[in-house]
Amino acid sequence: MTSTRTAARPFGRTLCAMITPFTEEGALDLDGARQLAAWLVAEGCDGLVLSGTTGESPTTTDAEKAELIAAVRESVGDRVSLVAGVGSADTRHTVELARAAEAAGADGVLVVTPYYSRPPQEAVEAHFRTVADASGLPVMLYDIPGRTGTRIEPETMIRLAAHERIVGVKDCSYDFLGTQKVLAQTDLAYYAGCDEHVLALYAIGAAGCISTVANAVPGPIAAILDAFDAGDTARAAELQSRATPLIEAMMGAGLPGTVTAKALLARLGLPGGPVRAPLLPAGREAADELLARYETLTAA
């Protein structure tokens, strides 16, 4: 597979927000992580995001996060980018995680807005600058106000874009106007963090996507962007539409994407294992529906 990493796509184009496999006893499954990562790359991902929300980062230890990066790097080598989620509500802890990710072999870090404390924009900006200054890794900002309670305002993004190591954004803001404003005034590489927006954001200049649904269907997600790159926008729209029922079941049916991704991976015989508390596994009915929609998509 040819990498699509460029200055405009610093982490590649089709990234998967990879789940973190656990054993049935709930321990970190490094062999499963190696196997899943290799499969995702073989099926069309040119970047992996580890220890994001989909990777259950709130329930993994700092040591587990570092072990996961090292294991996946061993599996995929330097063929793809590895971006490590290092966000927390504590700036000091986020700095520690960023440095540990660099030592473990990550290519970049994903830093979410500090959550729960709801800092004002001046504090949000200071947080990101402190983390960006703490290691030599490029930084991707993660804007997801629905979870954190705090937006990274477009004006803040524009100021942060001047930092040499702040190079990208995972966008879950649901604010197309704000996104277009930042795209027009900066060189930040935007990645759609919501699977229903993969094509829409790509069409207005995003660098690619960071997809949870790609845990199960990396090929169909990559195909949307392939069609657009080939100039066949009608085909790209058709492929996005075909993926919508599965996207809805995985991301819009009331269960976290981690839960639905692991339920579907289990049905497909791929590594995943259980979720960690406070999450609970998907029920049989939900898993049946996920498999049915998966089969419809992949049979098309």
Side-chain angles (χ1 to χ4, degrees):
M1 187 188 77
T2 301
S3 174
T4 57
R5 278 179 278 175
T6 65
R9 294 172 174 167
F11 304 111
R13 188 197 65 176
T14 308
L15 283 68
C16 177
M18 196 177 102
I19 58 100
T20 299
F22 298 130
T23 67
E24 290 305 316
E25 294 73 33
L28 186 64
D29 180 5
L30 293 177
D31 285 340
R34 294 185 188 98
Q35 181 184 342
L36 180 61
W39 180 79
L40 289 168
V41 172
E43 292 295 313
C45 294
D46 60 2
L48 301 173
V49 175
L50 307 176
S51 296
T53 308
T54 303
E56 298 180 77
S57 58
T59 65
T60 57
T61 67
D62 292 3
E64 286 175 327
K65 290 176 173 65
E67 290 169 5
L68 180 65
I69 296 167
V72 172
R73 176 60 76 200
E74 178 186 0
S75 176
V76 303
D78 61 359
R79 290 176 292 158
V80 301
S81 293
L82 298 185
V83 180
V86 300
S88 78
D90 176 0
T91 301
R92 288 179 298 176
H93 187 206
T94 304
V95 164
E96 292 169 2
L97 289 172
R99 290 171 175 163
E102 183 175 29
D107 296 303
V109 290
L110 176 67
V111 187
V112 74
T113 317
Y115 40 84
Y116 192 75
S117 57
R118 302 187 70 175
Q121 289 300 296
E122 181 181 4
V124 168
E125 183 176 345
H127 172 82
F128 288 125
R129 289 186 182 279
T130 298
V131 177
D133 288 339
S135 81
L137 293 179
V139 172
M140 184 186 298
L141 310 176
Y142 187 7
D143 190 18
I144 183 166
R147 287 182 182 262
T148 66
T150 303
R151 177 79 198 277
I152 311 174
E153 296 293 345
E155 292 75 13
T156 304
M157 293 270 197
I158 292 166
R159 291 193 298 273
L160 286 168
H163 194 291
E164 63 179 355
R165 279 192 292 278
I166 296 176
V167 300
V169 178
K170 180 181 179 183
D171 186 14
C172 292
S173 67
Y174 289 92
D175 176 11
F176 274 80
L177 182 60
T179 294
Q180 290 178 75
K181 181 177 180 179
V182 178
L183 284 169
Q185 297 187 47
T186 76
D187 292 324
L188 290 172
Y190 262 72
Y191 289 85
C194 304
D195 279 272
E196 65 271 30
H197 287 173
V198 168
L199 178 58
L201 275 178
Y202 202 57
I204 63 169
C209 64
I210 299 175
S211 168
T212 294
V213 174
N215 277 283
V217 287
I221 296 299
I224 297 168
L225 305 184
D226 288 341
F228 190 89
D229 284 345
D232 193 344
T233 57
R235 175 66 173 167
E238 178 188 0
L239 292 172
Q240 178 79 58
S241 295
R242 285 185 182 180
T244 295
L246 181 60
I247 292 170
E248 181 180 28
M250 289 187 69
M251 307 304 294
L255 292 174
T258 304
V259 173
T260 56
K262 285 195 166 184
L264 186 49
L265 288 174
R267 291 295 183 93
L268 300 177
L270 290 165
V275 293
R276 283 181 174 173
L279 297 179
L280 293 173
R284 181 185 296 271
E285 183 177 347
D288 287 346
E289 181 64 22
L290 287 164
L291 183 60
R293 296 193 186 196
Y294 165 87
E295 290 175 340
T296 298
L297 174 59
T298 55

